[in-house]
Amino acid sequence: MSTAPFMSNPRQADYPVNVQFTARWSPRSYTGEPINSDQVMCMLEAARWAPSSNNAQPWRFAVVLRQDPEWDALFATLNPNNQVWADKASALVAVASSHLATKAGTTEAVQNAMHAFDSGAAWAYMAMQAHLMGWDLHGIGGFNKDAGAQVLKLPAEHTLHMLAVVGKRGDPAALPDALRQRESPNARRPLSELAGRGSF
Ligand SMILES: Cc1cc2nc3c(=O)[nH]c(=O)nc-3n(C[C@H](O)[C@H](O)[C@H](O)COP(=O)(O)O)c2cc1C
């Protein structure tokens, strides 16, 4: 598991859980350390084992390492407030999903209403695996999805959801003031607000 070289993690769970769930968080300061494609594939291997409706596995990923020819064009799709900090990322992994699934025992592809929901689970598995490997991910929804889809040649009947910034956590001092102040693990609503017994 990655150590927290710049700060301790003050997150407290309401109920006992494995520390990996509270230890993972999304930094904005990265070192720019190169990552190789096998390391990213280990993260995606974890995503591959996420559960999905009818085991349709609708998640699709496009990996762009910072030395890859697509880097500049993909980075240019990020909103300026995300470009400010994501420029030291080691890789960007686009998470998309396929709208169509072929159920077991059939040959016809049909619309899969659960494609986005299931792909969220895959992203979470990927983020946890990255953290266990000593890397960190930070999801970005703030980017031009049409432009991103063009750069990455997103096929028809697919939705591009987010970009995962992959990197090694860096020194918060490298961030602009406003972001440096936010560079720590954030809190969560109490579980009592989120979960009811017998009803929502
Ligand atoms: C789908 C998705 C989109 C996000 N988009 C952005 C974004 O555009 N910019 C940003 O700085 N953080 C973004 N985040 C990060 C969230 O703000 C962050 O995950 C949340 O505050 C919880 O913090 P934690 O990941 O450190 O636990 C996004 C996260 C997800 C899952």
Side-chain angles (χ1 to χ4, degrees), residues 157-171:
E157 298 285 3
H158 286 62
T159 297
L160 177 57
H161 298 291
M162 53 115 61
L163 300 176
V165 167
V166 184
K168 274 270 159 79
R169 196 186 306 172
D171 189 343

Side-chain angles (χ1 to χ4, degrees), residues 29-33 66 75 85-90 166-168 174:
S29 184
Y30 292 98
T31 60
E33 178 176 326
R66 65 177 301 126
F75 189 81
W85 58 267
D87 65 334
K88 292 266 178 45
S90 309
V166 184
K168 274 270 159 79

Side-chain angles (χ1 to χ4, degrees), residues 9 13-14 25-26 36 38 59 63 65 84 115 123 134 136 140 143 146-147 167 175-176 179 181-183 185 187:
N9 190 327
D14 289 352
W25 62 282
S26 305
N36 66 48
D38 277 357
W59 39 78
V63 178
L65 307 187
V84 168
H115 68 91
W123 137 256
D136 281 296
I140 285 188
F143 70 106
D146 291 338
L175 289 170
L179 292 181
Q181 284 158 20
R182 292 170 61 193
E183 188 70 348

Side-chain angles (χ1 to χ4, degrees), residues 35 37 39-41 43-44 47 60-65 71 74 89-96 123 126 137-140 143 152 160-166:
I35 193 168
S37 117
Q39 290 168 302
V40 178
M41 293 310 272
M43 299 169 194
L44 297 183
R60 302 289 183 271
F61 307 100
V63 178
V64 177
L65 307 187
W71 176 268
L74 187 59
S90 309
L92 292 169
V93 177
V95 181
W123 137 256
M126 176 192 175
L137 264 53
H138 193 133
I140 285 188
F143 70 106
L152 299 170
L160 177 57
H161 298 291
M162 53 115 61
L163 300 176
V165 167
V166 184

